[in-house]
Structures are given as C-alpha cells and as structure tokens.
Amino acid sequence: MVHTLQNFINGQFVPVMGSDSIEVVNPTNGETVALAPISEQADIAAAMSAAATAFQTWRRTTPRERQSLLLRLADAMEARSAELVEAQHRNTGQVRQMIADEEVAAGADQLRFFAGAARLLEGKSAGEYMDGFTSFVRREPVGVIAQVTPWNYPLLMAVWKIGPALAAGNTVVLKPSDTTPESTLVLADIAKDILPAGVFNVLLGNGATGAAMVEHKIPAMVSITGSVRAGIAVATGAAAGVKRAHLELGGKAPAVVFADADLGKTAQSIAEFSFFNAGQDCTAITRVLVEESAHDELVTALATAAQSLETGNEDESKNYFGPLNNVHHFNAVCKVVENIPEYATVVTGGKRVGDKGFFFEPTVVDGVRQTDDIVQHETFGPVITVQTFRTEEEAVELANDVDFALASSVWTSNHGTAMRVSRDLDFGAVWINTHIMLTAEMPHGGFKQSGYGKDLSMYGVEDYTRIKHVMSALDA
C-alpha cells in the first residue's frame, strides 16, 4: 500500500500544504512504496518558526537536561530498531542486518556520545588578561540549524546532524533526501515523546526545498552531507545571508598498497571496504594504488575477493550489499563503466545483477590513468580502479592528485612508511592497514572539495557553537 508521508513540525505530524509530491521507490524491485510531498514556503516558515520559538527555551536547558533527553532518545531508538530497519529498507534496499548494526545500533551509540559531550564543552579559563578586568569565554549555541541529509545512510546521517546540534543547545529543521525519508520520520516519531516540541523538525521535499531552507532568514547555520554540487549550492546560499555552513561532501579515497603488505589479507579488506553499502559511501575506497612489483598478485586477489561478495540474491542473508539507491544513480554508474577508456580492463564485474531492482556487480577496473574521469570523479558505486606506482613519492602524488580530500588509507608492514605517507596524504582521515572505521570520539571531515567542518567527536559539537568574550571591570 502506497501511503502519503507528512512533515514533522512543532512536535506533531502535519500534512504538507503543497500538492506536489515525489514517489519513494524501493530499489530492490522498483516499486513505489510512499509519496513524499514537497514542502513549500509556508511549510518551511512553520518549521522555522517552531524551531525559533523552541530555541528560546532549549538554549537555556542545562547540559545535564540535554544529556538526559538524548540518552532517552538513544534508548528509544534501540527499542524500536525493527521499525527503523523496515522503514529504511523500504527506501534503500540495504541489507537489514547492516541497517540494524551500522545505523540503529551505531547511531544510538553516537547519540550517547553526544549526550555526554553536552557536559564537556571547554574554553579559556577566566583570568585578568588586562589589569583591572576579568575576562572569560562563553560557548553558546548558534541558534536554529537548517540541515540536509543524504540517501546513503539516512538514519545515521540524521543522528550525525541532530546529535551535536541538539547537544550544544541548538534547535533543528532537517530535510532528509527525497528518496529516503521514512527512517528519519520514524526517528521524529520516537523523538516526539522525548524532546520538547519544536526542538527537532523534519521537512519533506526536494532540492528546491533545501535551497529555500538555506535562504530563509531564521537559520543561523546550515549543514549538509551530500554531493559537491549540492554543497556549493548550500554554501552559496548561506553566504548570501552571511550564515555559517558545515559541509561534508564527496570523496575519492585512495588505498595506497606497498609490496611489503600482506597482499591476500589486504585485497580482501579493500574489497570489503570498497563495496560496503554498494560503494555508496564518501569514505569508501575507490582508487587502489599499488606498488608496481605487487600489482599482478594484488589484482588477482582483488578479483577473487570481489567475486566472493554477493548482491541481488532473494535470500538477503547471502548479500554483502544491497542495490544502488535509485534508477538515475544506477544509470549513472552503468555509464561510468560503459565509458572506461579502451586501454583499461574490467577485471571482474561491470554488469547489472538480475532483472529487477538496481543491483550492480562489485567491479574492479585495471589499467586506468590519472587523468581518466573514472579516477578523477566520484562514481559512488561498487567500482574501484587500480593504478601502479614505483616510489613512495609517486604514490603520494597520485593519491593527492584529485579534487577530493576526505579519506585515505596506507597498507604496509613498515612503520616508518606508514608514518611518512600518513603525514603526506592530504586527506581528513588516514587509516593504516584498515579503512572506513569510525568512532564517535574521533573527528570525521575532509579538505578541498570534500568540504569543511567536522562530524563526530568534540570537534563536531564545537562546530555547532559560537564564542563570546565577556569582560568585567573589577572596580565596578
């Protein structure tokens, strides 16, 4: 049954005022599962007004109070895990166990971190930096935050957005991706009995809705996880209103593999980290740079590892990853593989799996060159390329020679090599003999066209605060 979704504003679900809507499609079979109305100016104004009103009270809650509510929200997420999983699976086709483990359980854990972080914000100690005057620093919430989340990890990205913002004392108006809104709406339903009305609001809509949110006069800050194109649009809109922006954008992560690495183990790990979530991850390995003498052995092992990772089975328990998110993205990934240069080789994969849904084989492409589109541009699918290098310096040069700078990894048994290369790689995260592992205590964010600002960690919470200097005369 196809049902029509609603916005969540001021603690309750309300119909969208506009008449236009978007079909939400299950990518495992191409069937429409819901209609997501497109919010218009009146809907946006209502949500922003609710958030602004709630901010006046929420900003004055104590860190202990905010911690308590976020801990309750985390517990409630876990209690309704099955509902969250099914809602998200309808929109993403992701393997259910992956959603349960990597989004619900991980999201609840990260909410608990943010709950604790609410009580640990720091600043300079008070002191007399000028004779006769005492100065101190107040770290305050920014205000209403307009947030936009992507379709690759809908629930987890919602947690990454609202967790630090709410912990710091802000209120939120969040727009999920138009293709994956349902798990965020379940999260809102969970929150309505925990958070005060207006603290967390959800607007449905498309790119135009997100742009209108950014342009609205109320938000003091905008935050997006998405494509570079979308990030540029958000940053441009924010600049027009002199608003702060927090951007977590695309990636083109290299895995730099030296000949002294355990090549069999490395190949299996790279395949798993590359094809996790069908490669729809901005931190996923997309480029394998291997020392020339180890090329043949690694490529053979990579092909074997890729072929061991299944997708498209009716028995979901056998799948390592699910489908690509939507037909437009599926067609785009197909086109990338179809247009590889004639001198490159598809070692394994490269084709659709089955005749329904948007499943695509794990794909390894060898023999590409640094200037090729498949090397320079984000594919965001289960496709990795292989290139060779002769020296450590050449490896770093190839790795850094893209516009993205979010994530990378080094694979070697030599500690000195690992330290030098991790220092020289121009990426926001560098893993050594592993990849894509995230922990709530450590920051996540990139450089260059991968954006700016940090998710997770205390740095992520601080991004949602502003600094005020207060000075008092001692003789007053």
Side-chain angles (χ1 to χ4, degrees), residues 74 77-79 81 84-85 96-112 155-156 159:
M77 278 181 61
E78 288 184 327
S81 176
L84 286 163
V85 168
R96 289 178 174 85
Q97 192 59 52
M98 189 277 271
I99 301 172
D101 294 342
E102 303 296 334
E103 300 215 33
V104 181
D109 175 71
Q110 289 162 0
L111 267 182
R112 293 185 179 109
L155 178 63
L156 189 65
V159 168

mmCIF file with all atom_site columns, all heavy atoms in Angstrom, residues 74 77-79 81 84-85 96-112 155-156 159:
data_model
loop_
_atom_site.group_PDB
_atom_site.id
_atom_site.type_symbol
_atom_site.label_atom_id
_atom_site.label_alt_id
_atom_site.label_comp_id
_atom_site.label_asym_id
_atom_site.label_entity_id
_atom_site.label_seq_id
_atom_site.pdbx_PDB_ins_code
_atom_site.Cartn_x
_atom_site.Cartn_y
_atom_site.Cartn_z
_atom_site.occupancy
_atom_site.B_iso_or_equiv
_atom_site.pdbx_formal_charge
_atom_site.auth_seq_id
_atom_site.auth_comp_id
_atom_site.auth_asym_id
_atom_site.auth_atom_id
_atom_site.pdbx_PDB_model_num
ATOM 1   N N   . ALA A 1 74  ? 18.330 7.768  22.530 1.00 0.00 ? 74  ALA A N   1
ATOM 2   C CA  . ALA A 1 74  ? 19.155 6.631  22.111 1.00 0.00 ? 74  ALA A CA  1
ATOM 3   C C   . ALA A 1 74  ? 18.524 5.309  22.537 1.00 0.00 ? 74  ALA A C   1
ATOM 4   O O   . ALA A 1 74  ? 18.454 4.354  21.753 1.00 0.00 ? 74  ALA A O   1
ATOM 5   C CB  . ALA A 1 74  ? 20.560 6.761  22.692 1.00 0.00 ? 74  ALA A CB  1
ATOM 6   N N   . MET A 1 77  ? 15.506 4.595  20.353 1.00 0.00 ? 77  MET A N   1
ATOM 7   C CA  . MET A 1 77  ? 15.907 4.133  19.023 1.00 0.00 ? 77  MET A CA  1
ATOM 8   C C   . MET A 1 77  ? 16.147 2.631  19.034 1.00 0.00 ? 77  MET A C   1
ATOM 9   O O   . MET A 1 77  ? 15.665 1.906  18.154 1.00 0.00 ? 77  MET A O   1
ATOM 10  C CB  . MET A 1 77  ? 17.183 4.843  18.569 1.00 0.00 ? 77  MET A CB  1
ATOM 11  C CG  . MET A 1 77  ? 17.007 6.206  17.974 1.00 0.00 ? 77  MET A CG  1
ATOM 12  S SD  . MET A 1 77  ? 18.619 6.897  17.451 1.00 0.00 ? 77  MET A SD  1
ATOM 13  C CE  . MET A 1 77  ? 19.134 5.670  16.215 1.00 0.00 ? 77  MET A CE  1
ATOM 14  N N   . GLU A 1 78  ? 16.890 2.181  19.997 1.00 0.00 ? 78  GLU A N   1
ATOM 15  C CA  . GLU A 1 78  ? 17.187 0.745  20.061 1.00 0.00 ? 78  GLU A CA  1
ATOM 16  C C   . GLU A 1 78  ? 15.924 -0.062 20.311 1.00 0.00 ? 78  GLU A C   1
ATOM 17  O O   . GLU A 1 78  ? 15.749 -1.157 19.749 1.00 0.00 ? 78  GLU A O   1
ATOM 18  C CB  . GLU A 1 78  ? 18.221 0.484  21.158 1.00 0.00 ? 78  GLU A CB  1
ATOM 19  C CG  . GLU A 1 78  ? 19.608 0.977  20.777 1.00 0.00 ? 78  GLU A CG  1
ATOM 20  C CD  . GLU A 1 78  ? 20.655 0.641  21.812 1.00 0.00 ? 78  GLU A CD  1
ATOM 21  O OE1 . GLU A 1 78  ? 20.328 0.606  23.022 1.00 0.00 ? 78  GLU A OE1 1
ATOM 22  O OE2 . GLU A 1 78  ? 21.814 0.431  21.415 1.00 0.00 ? 78  GLU A OE2 1
ATOM 23  N N   . ALA A 1 79  ? 15.020 0.459  21.135 1.00 0.00 ? 79  ALA A N   1
ATOM 24  C CA  . ALA A 1 79  ? 13.785 -0.263 21.428 1.00 0.00 ? 79  ALA A CA  1
ATOM 25  C C   . ALA A 1 79  ? 12.907 -0.407 20.183 1.00 0.00 ? 79  ALA A C   1
ATOM 26  O O   . ALA A 1 79  ? 12.149 -1.373 20.062 1.00 0.00 ? 79  ALA A O   1
ATOM 27  C CB  . ALA A 1 79  ? 13.013 0.453  22.536 1.00 0.00 ? 79  ALA A CB  1
ATOM 28  N N   . SER A 1 81  ? 14.131 -0.568 17.042 1.00 0.00 ? 81  SER A N   1
ATOM 29  C CA  . SER A 1 81  ? 15.074 -0.889 15.981 1.00 0.00 ? 81  SER A CA  1
ATOM 30  C C   . SER A 1 81  ? 14.397 -1.551 14.785 1.00 0.00 ? 81  SER A C   1
ATOM 31  O O   . SER A 1 81  ? 14.642 -1.179 13.633 1.00 0.00 ? 81  SER A O   1
ATOM 32  C CB  . SER A 1 81  ? 16.180 -1.806 16.512 1.00 0.00 ? 81  SER A CB  1
ATOM 33  O OG  . SER A 1 81  ? 17.056 -2.202 15.473 1.00 0.00 ? 81  SER A OG  1
ATOM 34  N N   . LEU A 1 84  ? 12.589 0.965  12.638 1.00 0.00 ? 84  LEU A N   1
ATOM 35  C CA  . LEU A 1 84  ? 13.532 1.800  11.906 1.00 0.00 ? 84  LEU A CA  1
ATOM 36  C C   . LEU A 1 84  ? 14.147 1.045  10.732 1.00 0.00 ? 84  LEU A C   1
ATOM 37  O O   . LEU A 1 84  ? 14.292 1.578  9.630  1.00 0.00 ? 84  LEU A O   1
ATOM 38  C CB  . LEU A 1 84  ? 14.630 2.297  12.844 1.00 0.00 ? 84  LEU A CB  1
ATOM 39  C CG  . LEU A 1 84  ? 14.230 3.388  13.835 1.00 0.00 ? 84  LEU A CG  1
ATOM 40  C CD1 . LEU A 1 84  ? 15.265 3.494  14.951 1.00 0.00 ? 84  LEU A CD1 1
ATOM 41  C CD2 . LEU A 1 84  ? 14.087 4.735  13.125 1.00 0.00 ? 84  LEU A CD2 1
ATOM 42  N N   . VAL A 1 85  ? 14.505 -0.209 10.980 1.00 0.00 ? 85  VAL A N   1
ATOM 43  C CA  . VAL A 1 85  ? 15.117 -1.028 9.929  1.00 0.00 ? 85  VAL A CA  1
ATOM 44  C C   . VAL A 1 85  ? 14.172 -1.205 8.748  1.00 0.00 ? 85  VAL A C   1
ATOM 45  O O   . VAL A 1 85  ? 14.555 -1.033 7.584  1.00 0.00 ? 85  VAL A O   1
ATOM 46  C CB  . VAL A 1 85  ? 15.547 -2.395 10.495 1.00 0.00 ? 85  VAL A CB  1
ATOM 47  C CG1 . VAL A 1 85  ? 15.902 -3.361 9.364  1.00 0.00 ? 85  VAL A CG1 1
ATOM 48  C CG2 . VAL A 1 85  ? 16.736 -2.233 11.438 1.00 0.00 ? 85  VAL A CG2 1
ATOM 49  N N   . ARG A 1 96  ? 19.126 -5.699 5.805  1.00 0.00 ? 96  ARG A N   1
ATOM 50  C CA  . ARG A 1 96  ? 18.503 -5.313 7.079  1.00 0.00 ? 96  ARG A CA  1
ATOM 51  C C   . ARG A 1 96  ? 19.470 -5.390 8.251  1.00 0.00 ? 96  ARG A C   1
ATOM 52  O O   . ARG A 1 96  ? 19.472 -4.528 9.125  1.00 0.00 ? 96  ARG A O   1
ATOM 53  C CB  . ARG A 1 96  ? 17.269 -6.186 7.338  1.00 0.00 ? 96  ARG A CB  1
ATOM 54  C CG  . ARG A 1 96  ? 16.084 -5.882 6.425  1.00 0.00 ? 96  ARG A CG  1
ATOM 55  C CD  . ARG A 1 96  ? 14.932 -6.828 6.736  1.00 0.00 ? 96  ARG A CD  1
ATOM 56  N NE  . ARG A 1 96  ? 13.717 -6.511 6.005  1.00 0.00 ? 96  ARG A NE  1
ATOM 57  C CZ  . ARG A 1 96  ? 13.435 -6.923 4.764  1.00 0.00 ? 96  ARG A CZ  1
ATOM 58  N NH1 . ARG A 1 96  ? 14.330 -7.684 4.108  1.00 0.00 ? 96  ARG A NH1 1
ATOM 59  N NH2 . ARG A 1 96  ? 12.305 -6.604 4.185  1.00 0.00 ? 96  ARG A NH2 1
ATOM 60  N N   . GLN A 1 97  ? 20.280 -6.440 8.294  1.00 0.00 ? 97  GLN A N   1
ATOM 61  C CA  . GLN A 1 97  ? 21.201 -6.577 9.420  1.00 0.00 ? 97  GLN A CA  1
ATOM 62  C C   . GLN A 1 97  ? 22.213 -5.456 9.434  1.00 0.00 ? 97  GLN A C   1
ATOM 63  O O   . GLN A 1 97  ? 22.629 -4.976 10.494 1.00 0.00 ? 97  GLN A O   1
ATOM 64  C CB  . GLN A 1 97  ? 21.915 -7.928 9.363  1.00 0.00 ? 97  GLN A CB  1
ATOM 65  C CG  . GLN A 1 97  ? 22.680 -8.268 10.642 1.00 0.00 ? 97  GLN A CG  1
ATOM 66  C CD  . GLN A 1 97  ? 21.776 -8.315 11.862 1.00 0.00 ? 97  GLN A CD  1
ATOM 67  O OE1 . GLN A 1 97  ? 20.753 -8.996 11.858 1.00 0.00 ? 97  GLN A OE1 1
ATOM 68  N NE2 . GLN A 1 97  ? 22.133 -7.589 12.923 1.00 0.00 ? 97  GLN A NE2 1
ATOM 69  N N   . MET A 1 98  ? 22.606 -4.986 8.248  1.00 0.00 ? 98  MET A N   1
ATOM 70  C CA  . MET A 1 98  ? 23.520 -3.849 8.175  1.00 0.00 ? 98  MET A CA  1
ATOM 71  C C   . MET A 1 98  ? 22.875 -2.604 8.756  1.00 0.00 ? 98  MET A C   1
ATOM 72  O O   . MET A 1 98  ? 23.520 -1.849 9.501  1.00 0.00 ? 98  MET A O   1
ATOM 73  C CB  . MET A 1 98  ? 23.956 -3.607 6.728  1.00 0.00 ? 98  MET A CB  1
ATOM 74  C CG  . MET A 1 98  ? 25.075 -2.569 6.586  1.00 0.00 ? 98  MET A CG  1
ATOM 75  S SD  . MET A 1 98  ? 24.510 -0.850 6.580  1.00 0.00 ? 98  MET A SD  1
ATOM 76  C CE  . MET A 1 98  ? 24.212 -0.623 4.836  1.00 0.00 ? 98  MET A CE  1
ATOM 77  N N   . ILE A 1 99  ? 21.607 -2.364 8.423  1.00 0.00 ? 99  ILE A N   1
ATOM 78  C CA  . ILE A 1 99  ? 20.919 -1.196 8.971  1.00 0.00 ? 99  ILE A CA  1
ATOM 79  C C   . ILE A 1 99  ? 20.856 -1.288 10.490 1.00 0.00 ? 99  ILE A C   1
ATOM 80  O O   . ILE A 1 99  ? 21.119 -0.312 11.205 1.00 0.00 ? 99  ILE A O   1
ATOM 81  C CB  . ILE A 1 99  ? 19.500 -1.073 8.389  1.00 0.00 ? 99  ILE A CB  1
ATOM 82  C CG1 . ILE A 1 99  ? 19.534 -0.955 6.865  1.00 0.00 ? 99  ILE A CG1 1
ATOM 83  C CG2 . ILE A 1 99  ? 18.776 0.133  8.991  1.00 0.00 ? 99  ILE A CG2 1
ATOM 84  C CD1 . ILE A 1 99  ? 18.163 -1.034 6.213  1.00 0.00 ? 99  ILE A CD1 1
ATOM 85  N N   . ALA A 1 100 ? 20.506 -2.472 10.978 1.00 0.00 ? 100 ALA A N   1
ATOM 86  C CA  . ALA A 1 100 ? 20.386 -2.658 12.427 1.00 0.00 ? 100 ALA A CA  1
ATOM 87  C C   . ALA A 1 100 ? 21.711 -2.397 13.139 1.00 0.00 ? 100 ALA A C   1
ATOM 88  O O   . ALA A 1 100 ? 21.755 -1.741 14.181 1.00 0.00 ? 100 ALA A O   1
ATOM 89  C CB  . ALA A 1 100 ? 19.888 -4.063 12.731 1.00 0.00 ? 100 ALA A CB  1
ATOM 90  N N   . ASP A 1 101 ? 22.805 -2.905 12.555 1.00 0.00 ? 101 ASP A N   1
ATOM 91  C CA  . ASP A 1 101 ? 24.110 -2.797 13.205 1.00 0.00 ? 101 ASP A CA  1
ATOM 92  C C   . ASP A 1 101 ? 24.763 -1.437 12.978 1.00 0.00 ? 101 ASP A C   1
ATOM 93  O O   . ASP A 1 101 ? 25.256 -0.812 13.929 1.00 0.00 ? 101 ASP A O   1
ATOM 94  C CB  . ASP A 1 101 ? 25.052 -3.887 12.683 1.00 0.00 ? 101 ASP A CB  1
ATOM 95  C CG  . ASP A 1 101 ? 24.612 -5.281 13.070 1.00 0.00 ? 101 ASP A CG  1
ATOM 96  O OD1 . ASP A 1 101 ? 23.798 -5.412 14.008 1.00 0.00 ? 101 ASP A OD1 1
ATOM 97  O OD2 . ASP A 1 101 ? 25.066 -6.246 12.421 1.00 0.00 ? 101 ASP A OD2 1
ATOM 98  N N   . GLU A 1 102 ? 24.772 -0.995 11.720 1.00 0.00 ? 102 GLU A N   1
ATOM 99  C CA  . GLU A 1 102 ? 25.581 0.149  11.342 1.00 0.00 ? 102 GLU A CA  1
ATOM 100 C C   . GLU A 1 102 ? 24.849 1.484  11.414 1.00 0.00 ? 102 GLU A C   1
ATOM 101 O O   . GLU A 1 102 ? 25.480 2.544  11.321 1.00 0.00 ? 102 GLU A O   1
ATOM 102 C CB  . GLU A 1 102 ? 26.144 -0.046 9.923  1.00 0.00 ? 102 GLU A CB  1
ATOM 103 C CG  . GLU A 1 102 ? 26.969 -1.307 9.746  1.00 0.00 ? 102 GLU A CG  1
ATOM 104 C CD  . GLU A 1 102 ? 28.232 -1.299 10.590 1.00 0.00 ? 102 GLU A CD  1
ATOM 105 O OE1 . GLU A 1 102 ? 28.723 -0.191 10.913 1.00 0.00 ? 102 GLU A OE1 1
ATOM 106 O OE2 . GLU A 1 102 ? 28.733 -2.383 10.928 1.00 0.00 ? 102 GLU A OE2 1
ATOM 107 N N   . GLU A 1 103 ? 23.531 1.445  11.539 1.00 0.00 ? 103 GLU A N   1
ATOM 108 C CA  . GLU A 1 103 ? 22.794 2.709  11.624 1.00 0.00 ? 103 GLU A CA  1
ATOM 109 C C   . GLU A 1 103 ? 22.021 2.825  12.928 1.00 0.00 ? 103 GLU A C   1
ATOM 110 O O   . GLU A 1 103 ? 22.152 3.813  13.627 1.00 0.00 ? 103 GLU A O   1
ATOM 111 C CB  . GLU A 1 103 ? 21.879 2.855  10.415 1.00 0.00 ? 103 GLU A CB  1
ATOM 112 C CG  . GLU A 1 103 ? 22.670 2.853  9.096  1.00 0.00 ? 103 GLU A CG  1
ATOM 113 C CD  . GLU A 1 103 ? 22.099 3.745  8.038  1.00 0.00 ? 103 GLU A CD  1
ATOM 114 O OE1 . GLU A 1 103 ? 21.532 4.803  8.365  1.00 0.00 ? 103 GLU A OE1 1
ATOM 115 O OE2 . GLU A 1 103 ? 22.202 3.370  6.858  1.00 0.00 ? 103 GLU A OE2 1
ATOM 116 N N   . VAL A 1 104 ? 21.236 1.811  13.281 1.00 0.00 ? 104 VAL A N   1
ATOM 117 C CA  . VAL A 1 104 ? 20.472 1.926  14.525 1.00 0.00 ? 104 VAL A CA  1
ATOM 118 C C   . VAL A 1 104 ? 21.389 1.799  15.739 1.00 0.00 ? 104 VAL A C   1
ATOM 119 O O   . VAL A 1 104 ? 21.452 2.702  16.582 1.00 0.00 ? 104 VAL A O   1
ATOM 120 C CB  . VAL A 1 104 ? 19.345 0.877  14.579 1.00 0.00 ? 104 VAL A CB  1
ATOM 121 C CG1 . VAL A 1 104 ? 18.566 1.045  15.890 1.00 0.00 ? 104 VAL A CG1 1
ATOM 122 C CG2 . VAL A 1 104 ? 18.403 1.009  13.387 1.00 0.00 ? 104 VAL A CG2 1
ATOM 123 N N   . ALA A 1 105 ? 22.112 0.687  15.831 1.00 0.00 ? 105 ALA A N   1
ATOM 124 C CA  . ALA A 1 105 ? 22.975 0.480  16.999 1.00 0.00 ? 105 ALA A CA  1
ATOM 125 C C   . ALA A 1 105 ? 24.098 1.515  17.043 1.00 0.00 ? 105 ALA A C   1
ATOM 126 O O   . ALA A 1 105 ? 24.370 2.113  18.092 1.00 0.00 ? 105 ALA A O   1
ATOM 127 C CB  . ALA A 1 105 ? 23.552 -0.931 16.982 1.00 0.00 ? 105 ALA A CB  1
ATOM 128 N N   . ALA A 1 106 ? 24.744 1.745  15.892 1.00 0.00 ? 106 ALA A N   1
ATOM 129 C CA  . ALA A 1 106 ? 25.820 2.738  15.864 1.00 0.00 ? 106 ALA A CA  1
ATOM 130 C C   . ALA A 1 106 ? 25.276 4.140  16.123 1.00 0.00 ? 106 ALA A C   1
ATOM 131 O O   . ALA A 1 106 ? 25.902 4.940  16.824 1.00 0.00 ? 106 ALA A O   1
ATOM 132 C CB  . ALA A 1 106 ? 26.541 2.694  14.518 1.00 0.00 ? 106 ALA A CB  1
ATOM 133 N N   . GLY A 1 107 ? 24.103 4.447  15.566 1.00 0.00 ? 107 GLY A N   1
ATOM 134 C CA  . GLY A 1 107 ? 23.503 5.757  15.788 1.00 0.00 ? 107 GLY A CA  1
ATOM 135 C C   . GLY A 1 107 ? 23.160 5.987  17.245 1.00 0.00 ? 107 GLY A C   1
ATOM 136 O O   . GLY A 1 107 ? 23.385 7.081  17.784 1.00 0.00 ? 107 GLY A O   1
ATOM 137 N N   . ALA A 1 108 ? 22.623 4.963  17.897 1.00 0.00 ? 108 ALA A N   1
ATOM 138 C CA  . ALA A 1 108 ? 22.304 5.091  19.320 1.00 0.00 ? 108 ALA A CA  1
ATOM 139 C C   . ALA A 1 108 ? 23.569 5.307  20.141 1.00 0.00 ? 108 ALA A C   1
ATOM 140 O O   . ALA A 1 108 ? 23.608 6.143  21.065 1.00 0.00 ? 108 ALA A O   1
ATOM 141 C CB  . ALA A 1 108 ? 21.564 3.850  19.809 1.00 0.00 ? 108 ALA A CB  1
ATOM 142 N N   . ASP A 1 109 ? 24.629 4.588  19.791 1.00 0.00 ? 109 ASP A N   1
ATOM 143 C CA  . ASP A 1 109 ? 25.899 4.759  20.497 1.00 0.00 ? 109 ASP A CA  1
ATOM 144 C C   . ASP A 1 109 ? 26.427 6.172  20.314 1.00 0.00 ? 109 ASP A C   1
ATOM 145 O O   . ASP A 1 109 ? 26.917 6.801  21.269 1.00 0.00 ? 109 ASP A O   1
ATOM 146 C CB  . ASP A 1 109 ? 26.921 3.746  19.970 1.00 0.00 ? 109 ASP A CB  1
ATOM 147 C CG  . ASP A 1 109 ? 28.300 3.951  20.575 1.00 0.00 ? 109 ASP A CG  1
ATOM 148 O OD1 . ASP A 1 109 ? 28.473 3.669  21.771 1.00 0.00 ? 109 ASP A OD1 1
ATOM 149 O OD2 . ASP A 1 109 ? 29.200 4.427  19.848 1.00 0.00 ? 109 ASP A OD2 1
ATOM 150 N N   . GLN A 1 110 ? 26.325 6.697  19.105 1.00 0.00 ? 110 GLN A N   1
ATOM 151 C CA  . GLN A 1 110 ? 26.829 8.040  18.851 1.00 0.00 ? 110 GLN A CA  1
ATOM 152 C C   . GLN A 1 110 ? 25.973 9.102  19.537 1.00 0.00 ? 110 GLN A C   1
ATOM 153 O O   . GLN A 1 110 ? 26.491 10.111 20.018 1.00 0.00 ? 110 GLN A O   1
ATOM 154 C CB  . GLN A 1 110 ? 26.930 8.266  17.339 1.00 0.00 ? 110 GLN A CB  1
ATOM 155 C CG  . GLN A 1 110 ? 28.062 7.453  16.744 1.00 0.00 ? 110 GLN A CG  1
ATOM 156 C CD  . GLN A 1 110 ? 27.971 7.271  15.241 1.00 0.00 ? 110 GLN A CD  1
ATOM 157 O OE1 . GLN A 1 110 ? 27.040 7.760  14.600 1.00 0.00 ? 110 GLN A OE1 1
ATOM 158 N NE2 . GLN A 1 110 ? 28.916 6.559  14.670 1.00 0.00 ? 110 GLN A NE2 1
ATOM 159 N N   . LEU A 1 111 ? 24.670 8.866  19.620 1.00 0.00 ? 111 LEU A N   1
ATOM 160 C CA  . LEU A 1 111 ? 23.825 9.783  20.393 1.00 0.00 ? 111 LEU A CA  1
ATOM 161 C C   . LEU A 1 111 ? 24.262 9.818  21.850 1.00 0.00 ? 111 LEU A C   1
ATOM 162 O O   . LEU A 1 111 ? 24.261 10.875 22.488 1.00 0.00 ? 111 LEU A O   1
ATOM 163 C CB  . LEU A 1 111 ? 22.360 9.364  20.302 1.00 0.00 ? 111 LEU A CB  1
ATOM 164 C CG  . LEU A 1 111 ? 21.514 9.995  19.209 1.00 0.00 ? 111 LEU A CG  1
ATOM 165 C CD1 . LEU A 1 111 ? 20.077 9.482  19.308 1.00 0.00 ? 111 LEU A CD1 1
ATOM 166 C CD2 . LEU A 1 111 ? 21.520 11.524 19.295 1.00 0.00 ? 111 LEU A CD2 1
ATOM 167 N N   . ARG A 1 112 ? 24.638 8.669  22.371 1.00 0.00 ? 112 ARG A N   1
ATOM 168 C CA  . ARG A 1 112 ? 25.091 8.623  23.762 1.00 0.00 ? 112 ARG A CA  1
ATOM 169 C C   . ARG A 1 112 ? 26.391 9.407  23.931 1.00 0.00 ? 112 ARG A C   1
ATOM 170 O O   . ARG A 1 112 ? 26.601 10.053 24.960 1.00 0.00 ? 112 ARG A O   1
ATOM 171 C CB  . ARG A 1 112 ? 25.249 7.174  24.219 1.00 0.00 ? 112 ARG A CB  1
ATOM 172 C CG  . ARG A 1 112 ? 23.919 6.436  24.303 1.00 0.00 ? 112 ARG A CG  1
ATOM 173 C CD  . ARG A 1 112 ? 24.056 5.030  24.868 1.00 0.00 ? 112 ARG A CD  1
ATOM 174 N NE  . ARG A 1 112 ? 22.744 4.411  24.931 1.00 0.00 ? 112 ARG A NE  1
ATOM 175 C CZ  . ARG A 1 112 ? 22.319 3.421  24.153 1.00 0.00 ? 112 ARG A CZ  1
ATOM 176 N NH1 . ARG A 1 112 ? 23.144 2.905  23.258 1.00 0.00 ? 112 ARG A NH1 1
ATOM 177 N NH2 . ARG A 1 112 ? 21.109 2.937  24.275 1.00 0.00 ? 112 ARG A NH2 1
ATOM 178 N N   . LEU A 1 155 ? 19.404 7.250  8.298  1.00 0.00 ? 155 LEU A N   1
ATOM 179 C CA  . LEU A 1 155 ? 19.221 7.364  9.745  1.00 0.00 ? 155 LEU A CA  1
ATOM 180 C C   . LEU A 1 155 ? 20.503 7.819  10.429 1.00 0.00 ? 155 LEU A C   1
ATOM 181 O O   . LEU A 1 155 ? 20.487 8.725  11.268 1.00 0.00 ? 155 LEU A O   1
ATOM 182 C CB  . LEU A 1 155 ? 18.767 6.024  10.323 1.00 0.00 ? 155 LEU A CB  1
ATOM 183 C CG  . LEU A 1 155 ? 18.579 5.996  11.844 1.00 0.00 ? 155 LEU A CG  1
ATOM 184 C CD1 . LEU A 1 155 ? 17.469 6.952  12.276 1.00 0.00 ? 155 LEU A CD1 1
ATOM 185 C CD2 . LEU A 1 155 ? 18.279 4.572  12.312 1.00 0.00 ? 155 LEU A CD2 1
ATOM 186 N N   . LEU A 1 156 ? 21.613 7.201  10.080 1.00 0.00 ? 156 LEU A N   1
ATOM 187 C CA  . LEU A 1 156 ? 22.883 7.548  10.721 1.00 0.00 ? 156 LEU A CA  1
ATOM 188 C C   . LEU A 1 156 ? 23.251 9.001  10.467 1.00 0.00 ? 156 LEU A C   1
ATOM 189 O O   . LEU A 1 156 ? 23.720 9.707  11.370 1.00 0.00 ? 156 LEU A O   1
ATOM 190 C CB  . LEU A 1 156 ? 23.994 6.626  10.216 1.00 0.00 ? 156 LEU A CB  1
ATOM 191 C CG  . LEU A 1 156 ? 25.325 6.737  10.959 1.00 0.00 ? 156 LEU A CG  1
ATOM 192 C CD1 . LEU A 1 156 ? 25.180 6.278  12.402 1.00 0.00 ? 156 LEU A CD1 1
ATOM 193 C CD2 . LEU A 1 156 ? 26.408 5.936  10.245 1.00 0.00 ? 156 LEU A CD2 1
ATOM 194 N N   . VAL A 1 159 ? 21.342 11.268 12.688 1.00 0.00 ? 159 VAL A N   1
ATOM 195 C CA  . VAL A 1 159 ? 21.944 11.286 14.030 1.00 0.00 ? 159 VAL A CA  1
ATOM 196 C C   . VAL A 1 159 ? 23.183 12.176 14.038 1.00 0.00 ? 159 VAL A C   1
ATOM 197 O O   . VAL A 1 159 ? 23.388 12.970 14.968 1.00 0.00 ? 159 VAL A O   1
ATOM 198 C CB  . VAL A 1 159 ? 22.291 9.859  14.481 1.00 0.00 ? 159 VAL A CB  1
ATOM 199 C CG1 . VAL A 1 159 ? 23.173 9.885  15.741 1.00 0.00 ? 159 VAL A CG1 1
ATOM 200 C CG2 . VAL A 1 159 ? 21.024 9.063  14.743 1.00 0.00 ? 159 VAL A CG2 1
#
